[in-house]
Amino acid sequence: MSPIDGLIIYIIHPLLQLLWIVVLVGVILSWLISFNVVNTHNQFVSMLWRITSAITEPLLAPIRRVLPPLGGMDFSPIILLLLIGFVQGYILPELMRIF
């Protein structure tokens, strides 16, 4: 096993999987907040919202600049999830095959 294989298998792939989960949690949490199911006055909800926003906003902002809101809906998390899946499914295996 080359060093790049170990880096990909043990560090990059789990981090991308964790990022995928954080983006999904952020989307679901934003829906719950929008439909008034949960309230941001709750400390746990507020903390979870701040953490997911702090992690995802730097990644979603460039996508939002390119992709305008369509019908008032934000499709940038879907694009980010597709990009993460593309990197996990195609880029990382190709890097492992090359090195």
Side-chain angles (χ1 to χ4, degrees), residues 44-94:
F44 178 74
V45 173
S46 178
M47 177 195 62
L48 194 60
W49 178 248
R50 283 194 314 267
I51 289 171
T52 58
S53 294
I55 294 170
T56 59
E57 284 304 314
L59 301 170
L60 292 173
I63 298 171
R64 286 186 181 133
R65 272 186 249 127
V66 174
L67 184 71
L70 303 169
M73 294 189 62
D74 184 18
F75 289 104
S76 58
I78 295 171
I79 302 298
L80 182 59
L81 291 175
L82 289 173
L83 286 172
I84 292 170
F86 176 75
V87 169
Q88 284 181 323
Y90 297 104
I91 304 292
L92 293 181
E94 285 298 316

Side-chain angles (χ1 to χ4, degrees), residues 16-35:
L16 287 174
Q17 192 65 33
L18 183 64
L19 179 62
W20 197 89
I21 291 169
V22 169
V23 171
L24 193 61
V25 166
V27 168
I28 292 171
L29 189 60
S30 73
W31 290 343
L32 292 175
I33 291 170
S34 294
F35 292 121

